[in-house]
Amino acid sequence: MPGTEVCRAIRTKTPEVGLVGVTSYALASFHDEAARCGAQALVGKTDLNGIALAIRNAAQGLSTNELVLGDEGSGNSLSFMDAATAYAVLEDTSYAHRGALSGKERDTLRMYADGSTTKEIAERLGISVATVATFERRALAKLGARSRAHAISICVKRHEI
């Protein structure tokens, strides 16, 4: 797996890990892809001072843009983001590809958030318990959530419920 995909896989899971790409190739050729995948910096493998600075910054969740932009003619269009921002951007992008919640999926999560049981939700919506479970399962898949609580947290953060 390419390093940028490893970076993306880590970043979509957590904002708590700082990511620094180290390469022996021209920085400009990997800069934008590393930024898109959630890295906080990209550094040449012989730039020991740059590596040390990038790692110190990334350990605090901070980006280090000046290391890659030292070559003014590089034409790189993207800046590296701090870890929390990169995580939010990738989470939102991933969410957009899965589709928006339906009204029933949103209602189901809202009722769970209000403390309703599955049986109570089924009664309120006039559907079966199995259908409530289907709405919940679809909502979790669309949100990329690991649990009902995680799905509710994502929706609250996005002001969807």
Side-chain angles (χ1 to χ4, degrees), residues 14 26 49 51 67 72 74 83 98 100 109-110 115 131 139-140 146 161:
T14 181
N49 290 332
I51 292 171
L67 294 177
E72 296 301 325
S74 69
R98 287 190 280 267
L109 290 178
R110 183 180 300 111
T131 302
L140 267 68
R146 295 179 297 275
I161 61 172

Side-chain angles (χ1 to χ4, degrees), residues 19-22 34 39-43 54 58 62-65 67-68 80-81:
L19 301 168
V20 175
V22 179
Q40 278 57 75
L42 180 64
V43 189
L62 304 174
S63 64
T64 308
N65 284 297
L67 294 177
V68 229
F80 288 102
M81 296 175 269

Side-chain angles (χ1 to χ4, degrees), residues 25-110:
Y25 297 103
L27 297 177
S29 60
F30 293 104
H31 174 272
D32 285 0
E33 185 63 17
R36 262 193 295 282
C37 289
Q40 278 57 75
L42 180 64
V43 189
K45 76 175 191 175
T46 60
D47 182 0
L48 300 181
N49 290 332
I51 292 171
L53 176 62
I55 290 172
R56 279 193 301 275
N57 285 348
Q60 298 174 51
L62 304 174
S63 64
T64 308
N65 284 297
E66 64 273 8
L67 294 177
V68 229
L69 301 177
D71 149 317
E72 296 301 325
S74 69
N76 294 324
S77 57
L78 298 177
S79 292
F80 288 102
M81 296 175 269
D82 62 80
T85 302
Y87 172 77
V89 167
L90 285 176
E91 183 182 43
D92 286 345
T93 301
S94 176
Y95 170 70
H97 291 299
R98 287 190 280 267
L101 296 180
S102 72
K104 295 289 187 187
E105 292 161 350
R106 198 173 7 269
D107 290 344
T108 299
L109 290 178
R110 183 180 300 111

Side-chain angles (χ1 to χ4, degrees), residues 112-134:
Y112 276 129
D114 290 338
S116 297
T117 65
T118 304
K119 185 177 178 189
E120 291 169 340
I121 294 169
E123 289 170 0
R124 280 193 211 153
L125 296 177
I127 57 178
S128 71
V129 168
T131 302
V132 172
T134 297

